[in-house]
Amino acid sequence: VQLQASGGGLVQAGGSLRLSCAASGRIFAINDMAWYRQAPGKQRELVARITSGGSTNYADSVKGRFTISRDNAKNTVYLQMNSLKPEDTAVYYCNAEVYVRSWAGRTPYWGQGTLVTVSS
């Protein structure tokens, strides 16, 4: 199973970016999908999570500005980021809990990370 993230880049404060992450390979089903981020010198933190049924939760720091969504038919998760702030600068990682067999437990997989830089 591979997760391919894209959509990062350089944006001015107040701008927007949309991240995408597509899962491929031997996939029976995907449970939760999520975005994490890691800023320089800081620990990786959860940004947003979405269940297979569409329920979402967000870090307090991004509520009202970021929206997570997914396309189950495409095994893809998105993160729409609006009103970006310099403190949102980080490497963003996607995560998916994948069932590779109907009888197997779920396994977490990570994307390679995509850099988001917000200039002031």
Side-chain angles (χ1 to χ4, degrees):
V1 176
Q2 293 183 333
L3 271 62
Q4 182 66 46
S6 61
L10 173 63
V11 64
Q12 289 187 332
S16 298
L17 283 174
R18 188 190 194 214
L19 306 183
S20 300
C21 177
S24 61
R26 183 184 291 275
I27 298 172
F28 174 74
I30 299 178
N31 194 40
D32 291 2
M33 303 184 83
W35 288 96
Y36 288 75
R37 68 185 181 187
Q38 187 166 18
K42 295 187 176 181
Q43 290 187 329
R44 190 173 297 189
E45 64 174 356
L46 175 67
V47 175
R49 180 183 299 278
I50 185 167
T51 69
S52 57
S55 296
T56 59
N57 66 281
Y58 297 90
D60 288 343
S61 58
V62 307
K63 282 181 180 177
R65 300 188 298 120
F66 291 10
T67 302
I68 190 171
S69 61
R70 63 190 284 174
D71 184 333
N72 290 330
K74 295 181 179 179
N75 291 331
T76 299
V77 62
Y78 306 96
L79 186 68
Q80 177 66 44
M81 305 184 293
N82 298 328
S83 302
L84 282 160
K85 304 175 180 180
E87 51 263 43
D88 295 318
T89 295
V91 177
Y92 284 70
Y93 298 90
C94 56
N95 168 270
E97 296 179 343
V98 179
Y99 295 93
V100 297
R101 300 278 195 284
S102 60
W103 43 262
R106 57 180 183 256
T107 300
Y109 290 90
W110 292 89
Q112 83 282 11
T114 184
L115 177 62
V116 172
T117 303
V118 184
S119 63
S120 58

